Amino acid sequence: WSKHACLTLRSPSLRLHEEIRMFNDCLRPTDEERRARSDAVARIREVVSGLWPESRLEVFGSFATGLYLPSSDIDAVILDSKCADIRQG
C-alpha cells in the first residue's frame, strides 16, 4: 500500500498520516464488494420474511457501521420470528 510518494514528505507526522490514509484506501471495500454484501443481506431478508412474515432481520457489527474489512463476515440476527424451536421452524 505504501507508495514512494509518501517517502518524499519530510515531516514524519505527514508521512505517517499519508501511509495510514493509503493503508485505509487499500483495505476499503470496493463498490462491487459493497453491492455484493448488500445484495446478500437483501436475499437473506427475503428468505427470512418468507419463513416468518412478522420477523425482521437486523444487521449489526462492522458491516452495519461500514467498518468491515474485505474478509469480514456479516453479523445478523432474526427478531420477532415467534419461532420457539428453530429445528421445527
Side-chain angles (χ1 to χ4, degrees):
W1 73 86
S2 181
K3 296 178 182 157
H4 295 291
C6 75
L7 298 177
T8 62
L9 297 171
R10 295 182 58 91
S11 166
S13 297
L14 288 176
R15 238 188 342 247
L16 177 61
H17 169 79
E18 187 63 17
E19 189 169 347
I20 290 170
R21 192 188 64 72
M22 288 187 298
F23 183 66
N24 180 56
D25 290 346
C26 180
L27 291 180
R28 182 180 303 145
T30 64
D31 288 341
E32 184 178 336
E33 289 168 331
R34 279 192 286 277
R35 212 171 13 261
R37 285 171 178 264
S38 294
D39 290 349
V41 170
R43 289 193 306 272
I44 293 168
R45 191 168 269 129
E46 284 179 34
V47 170
V48 168
S49 69
L51 291 171
W52 304 294
E54 295 180 22
S55 70
R56 67 184 201 275
L57 181 80
E58 293 289 331
V59 177
F60 62 96
S62 61
F63 178 71
T65 62
L67 298 174
Y68 60 96
L69 299 173
S71 61
S72 295
D73 62 353
I74 299 173
D75 301 303
V77 63
I78 300 169
L79 301 170
D80 302 326
S81 69
K82 311 284 192 277
C83 178
D85 186 351
I86 194 68
R87 292 173 291 184
Q88 294 180 9

